[in-house]
Amino acid sequence: MNQRTIAKKIELIGIGLHKGVPVKMILEPLPSDSGIIFYRSDKGVSIPLTIENVVDTTMATVIGKNGVKISTIEHLLSSIHAYGIDNIRIILDNEEVPIMDGSSMGFCILLEEAGIQELDKPKKAIEIKEIVEVRENDKFVRLEPNNVVTFDFMIKFPHQAIREQRYVFQFSTQNYKDEIAKARTFGFLQEVNQLRAMGLGLGGSFDNCIVLDESGVLNKGGLRYKDEFVRHKILDAIGDMSLLGMPIIGGYISFAGSHKLNHFLTKKLLSSAHAYNIVELQSKVQSSQKVAVHSRVSIKH
């Protein structure tokens, strides 16, 4: 199985969730072994997508270099990962990726319009060999060996519209589009003033966020899934795990995980050489419902 990029350049204009300003985004193809590279056209600064370039995880995953930042990258990265894209250039003229409708479905549509191009070099993946875990009180995120790529997430909120939710997602592109991509980010009305005092959430609205007050969901259309909240957490986790630079072969498990814990998990994995192998993917079951990887060849421990 070879690396992928997009087939043609494509662009859009949207609004940033936290800064609330318009931003133009252009996606461009890149050759094999280029990776994912962000570029701030207004600053003339390229920021490769690496764990070392993560500068903040407070309300979103933020990367930066030489004082230049790009925020709220996780939804776009989640969709890029879902389509198996390894190499792409993301050009922005401001510091935040457009929020779209608060989910990643708009990015999926954009990528399908651009098309997927297979390249000339083998695709690599991180095969999890031992459990790696990060905890913060009762919250945790974990990677463990599994021949099937899964994301098992549980959340627990006192709010009556959420309570306890768990979802187990078996990864494939079609499953992602059906089960995960439409799940929107969410927030609580009482936190709006606090966020805006921090300079965050300025672009948030009912058009790009599930908003809850004390009694329930305020959005006129209600929820897209009954457990949309936990599904969005999986969407975020897929995006955050893409900071590893290649897909994982294994299982991701979390209770109340966050961008911060996901970042610590990726750092801990890469510092634990005994816990993973890097493998080349030579062939793959071609089915939207199957994600088992076959004929793996280990090339590095």
Side-chain angles (χ1 to χ4, degrees):
M1 184 179 185
N2 284 356
Q3 297 177 37
R4 291 178 169 185
T5 187
I6 54 175
K8 66 179 181 181
K9 182 172 78 171
I10 194 163
E11 64 182 64
L12 64 80
I13 296 176
I15 298 292
L17 173 64
H18 289 304
K19 297 301 180 182
V21 296
V23 55
K24 181 179 181 179
M25 182 177 77
I26 302 172
L27 305 181
E28 291 183 343
L30 284 179
S32 295
D33 296 333
S34 297
I36 297 173
I37 299 175
F38 285 83
Y39 178 70
R40 281 284 299 272
S41 59
D42 58 322
K43 300 291 186 180
V45 174
S46 288
I47 309 175
L49 184 70
T50 65
I51 292 170
E52 294 76 18
N53 284 336
V54 174
V55 296
D56 191 12
T57 54
T58 304
M59 296 295 297
T61 298
V62 184
I63 57 173
K65 184 179 178 183
N66 300 331
V68 177
K69 298 178 181 179
I70 298 177
S71 178
T72 323
I73 62 176
E74 58 272 9
H75 299 173
L76 173 61
L77 291 177
S78 186
S79 62
I80 287 172
H81 182 84
Y83 281 79
I85 296 169
D86 310 278
N87 308 283
I88 191 169
R89 190 174 190 235
I90 302 159
I91 304 171
L92 301 160
D93 65 359
N94 216 307
E95 69 174 70
E96 195 169 10
V97 173
I99 188 59
M100 309 297 277
D101 70 346
S103 75
S104 65
M105 181 53 76
F107 296 127
C108 292
I109 294 169
L110 192 69
L111 292 172
E112 290 187 355
E113 184 178 344
I116 307 301
Q117 177 68 50
E118 186 167 298
L119 298 170
D120 58 346
K121 291 188 178 179
K123 190 181 188 78
K124 297 175 184 177
I126 294 181
E127 183 177 32
I128 307 301
K129 303 299 291 182
E130 298 178 12
I131 292 174
V132 178
E133 182 179 277
V134 174
R135 284 187 170 268
E136 183 180 64
N137 300 319
D138 61 337
K139 302 175 182 179
F140 72 87
V141 289
R142 177 191 307 148
L143 291 171
E144 62 181 30
N146 195 333
N147 286 330
V148 177
V149 181
T150 58
F151 287 79
D152 181 344
F153 211 117
M154 179 179 287
I155 59 174
K156 189 174 184 180
F157 284 80
H159 196 286
Q160 62 183 2
I162 305 178
R163 301 299 188 191
E164 186 175 295
Q165 295 185 3
R166 181 188 178 195
Y167 198 79
V168 181
F169 171 64
Q170 181 169 313
F171 185 87
S172 75
T173 302
Q174 189 61 50
N175 287 352
Y176 181 87
K177 288 173 61 179
D178 293 343
E179 302 174 29
I180 302 298
K182 295 189 290 291
R184 296 161 292 174
T185 192
F186 59 94
F188 301 94
L189 192 61
Q190 64 267 30
E191 296 176 352
V192 169
N193 290 336
Q194 178 185 351
L195 282 172
R196 293 189 171 174
M198 298 167 59
L200 300 172
L202 302 179
S205 71
F206 291 113
D207 294 327
N208 56 36
C209 183
I210 302 170
V211 182
L212 302 104
D213 65 6
E214 294 82 357
S215 57
V217 175
L218 296 179
N219 303 64
K220 286 185 178 180
L223 298 176
R224 295 175 177 176
Y225 311 97
K226 64 178 181 180
D227 51 3
E228 188 169 355
F229 306 99
V230 71
R231 294 190 194 214
H232 185 80
K233 290 292 189 180
I234 291 175
L235 187 157
D236 280 346
I238 292 171
D240 287 343
M241 288 300 104
S242 73
L243 270 292
L244 289 167
M246 59 190 80
I248 60 169
I249 302 170
Y252 170 99
I253 302 173
S254 176
F255 173 71
S258 62
H259 296 303
K260 180 178 76 171
L261 289 181
N262 287 336
H263 176 53
F264 289 159
L265 181 63
T266 56
K267 288 178 68 177
K268 185 172 182 178
L269 174 67
L270 293 186
S271 67
S272 307
H274 54 85
Y276 69 93
N277 286 334
I278 295 179
V279 300
E280 287 185 356
L281 304 185
Q282 294 185 325
S283 62
K284 185 177 181 181
V285 176
Q286 298 298 318
S287 166
S288 63
Q289 301 302 317
K290 296 179 181 179
V291 294
V293 179
H294 297 279
S295 302
R296 298 196 295 266
V297 177
S298 176
I299 61 171
K300 181 181 179 182
H301 187 75

